[in-house]
């Protein structure tokens, strides 16, 4: 199936060394302003599509309590309004200040996540060959990546390897938020019986979002960072990296991989 029209654009380019002008398909990147109670709380650069899911997932993984998201009444482009219970703008500002500042040390970063993410106590187990197959299954569903080569993806899977949802975006964190937002709308949170698979490397931020969503297993084609491994161990998330060609490296909580 072709990529959604809103996710790609055609630009002029020149191929070297042979030369000649061509039409090249690239991923669309535009800003999205997320507003709560009409007040802007964040702007993220994203690939258009599933904006309500993105806003909801962003709020969930930032420790807020969203209720619903919708296009603004004035139909303003690249904006989403979120309804959240007990929203305190001043608390939100303090939260973002703390989140951005805690990065000066790994210990502070992990302590900040502990406030919003309970330790994942899920007893879920998955067969290693099923886990090893997830990146290929995810790639098969990446329509916009196939057209552009320039998008990250996150997939939500069952323990048996069934793909429930895939979302693509220029930002790996946005792709994760879109999937978490979809899971929120479908009543699947916390994701205690599911597996998340991402198309790139494992950053601290992706582990944080998986932990807040209550997902016990996070899988990636690439490598994790040191702080991603530390956070996964602290929050009880099974972290599987370098999952390719029938092999993987399990960094934390390996007992979940049978």
């Amino acid at each position: 199936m072709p990529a959604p029209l809103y996710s790609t654009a055609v630009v002029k380019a020149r191929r070297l060394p042979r030369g000649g002008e061509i039409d090249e398909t690239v991923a669309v990147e535009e800003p999205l302003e997320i507003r709560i109670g009409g007040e802007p709380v964040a702007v993220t650069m994203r690939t258009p599509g599933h904006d309500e899911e993105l806003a909801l997932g962003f709020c969930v993984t930032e420790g807020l309590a969203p209720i619903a998201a919708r296009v603004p009444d004035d139909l303003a482009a690249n904006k989403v309004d979120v309804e959240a219970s007990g929203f305190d703008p001043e608390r939100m500002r303090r939260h973002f200040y703390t989140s951005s500042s805690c990065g000066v040390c790994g210990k502070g970063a992990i302590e900040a996540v502990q406030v919003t993410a309970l330790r994942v106590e899920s007893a879920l187990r998955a067969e290693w060959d099923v886990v090893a197959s997830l990146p290929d299954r995810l790639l098969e569903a990446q329509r916009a990546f196939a057209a552009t080569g320039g998008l990250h993806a996150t997939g939500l899977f069952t323990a048996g390897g069934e793909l429930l949802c895939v979302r693509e975006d220029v930002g790996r964190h946005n792709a994760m938020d879109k999937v978490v937002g979809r899971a929120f709308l479908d009543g699947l949170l916390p994701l205690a019986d599911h597996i998340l698979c991402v198309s790139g490397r494992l950053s601290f931020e992706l582990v944080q979002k998986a932990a807040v969503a209550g997902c016990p297993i996070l899988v990636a084609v690439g490598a994790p960072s040191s702080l991603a491994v530390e956070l996964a161990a602290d929050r009880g998330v099974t972290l599987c990296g370098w999952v390719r060609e029938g092999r993987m490296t399990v960094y934390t909580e390996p007992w979940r991989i049978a």
Side-chain angles (χ1 to χ4, degrees), residues 6-243:
Y6 51 75
S7 67
T8 63
V10 176
V11 299
K12 295 294 183 182
R14 182 172 293 273
R15 286 269 171 83
L16 297 176
R18 298 182 64 179
E21 190 173 72
I22 60 169
D23 290 332
E24 186 78 356
T25 301
V26 298
V28 173
E29 182 177 22
E30 294 180 354
L32 177 69
E33 181 182 88
I34 299 173
R35 306 192 298 198
I36 300 179
E39 179 166 337
V41 296
V43 175
T44 183
M45 301 303 295
R46 96 318 185 182
T47 300
H50 310 288
D51 289 340
E52 292 87 349
E53 294 175 359
L54 171 56
L56 288 169
F58 169 84
C59 289
V60 168
T61 58
E62 289 297 335
L64 300 175
I67 298 172
R70 59 182 175 82
V71 175
D73 293 335
D74 58 7
L75 301 180
N78 292 330
K79 291 181 173 61
V80 171
D81 280 334
V82 176
E83 179 186 355
S85 60
F87 173 64
D88 179 359
E90 185 57 35
R91 175 187 171 281
M92 188 68 175
R93 279 189 284 270
R94 291 195 302 270
H95 170 75
F96 277 118
Y97 175 77
T98 302
S99 298
S100 61
S101 299
C102 72
V104 297
C105 78
K107 182 175 182 292
I110 291 175
E111 288 174 349
V113 177
Q114 291 172 349
V115 175
T116 55
L118 296 175
R119 182 174 172 83
V120 178
E121 301 293 352
S122 170
L124 180 72
R125 298 172 74 93
E127 298 291 335
W128 79 268
D129 55 339
V130 172
V131 175
S133 71
L134 299 186
D136 287 339
R137 299 186 189 190
L138 179 62
L139 182 60
E140 291 174 359
Q142 291 177 236
R143 292 184 290 156
F145 177 82
T148 67
L151 288 166
H152 297 283
T154 295
L156 179 65
F157 291 86
T158 67
E162 178 187 358
L163 178 60
L164 302 178
C165 172
V166 59
R167 295 290 182 263
E168 297 179 272
D169 201 279
V170 288
R172 57 172 57 90
H173 57 289
N174 289 337
M176 175 74 79
D177 280 342
K178 288 178 178 180
V179 168
V180 173
R182 183 68 256 165
F184 172 83
L185 290 171
D186 292 340
L188 296 178
L189 297 181
L191 297 172
D193 299 320
H194 298 82
I195 302 172
L196 286 166
C197 180
V198 300
S199 60
R201 63 181 179 84
L202 288 164
S203 66
F204 172 87
E205 187 176 33
L206 290 182
V207 177
Q208 172 188 349
K209 291 178 182 296
V212 174
C215 187
I217 303 176
L218 179 57
V219 177
V221 176
S225 67
S226 63
L227 199 56
V229 174
E230 289 182 43
L231 179 59
D234 181 80
R235 295 293 83 196
V237 175
T238 298
L239 207 60
C240 303
W242 297 114
V243 184

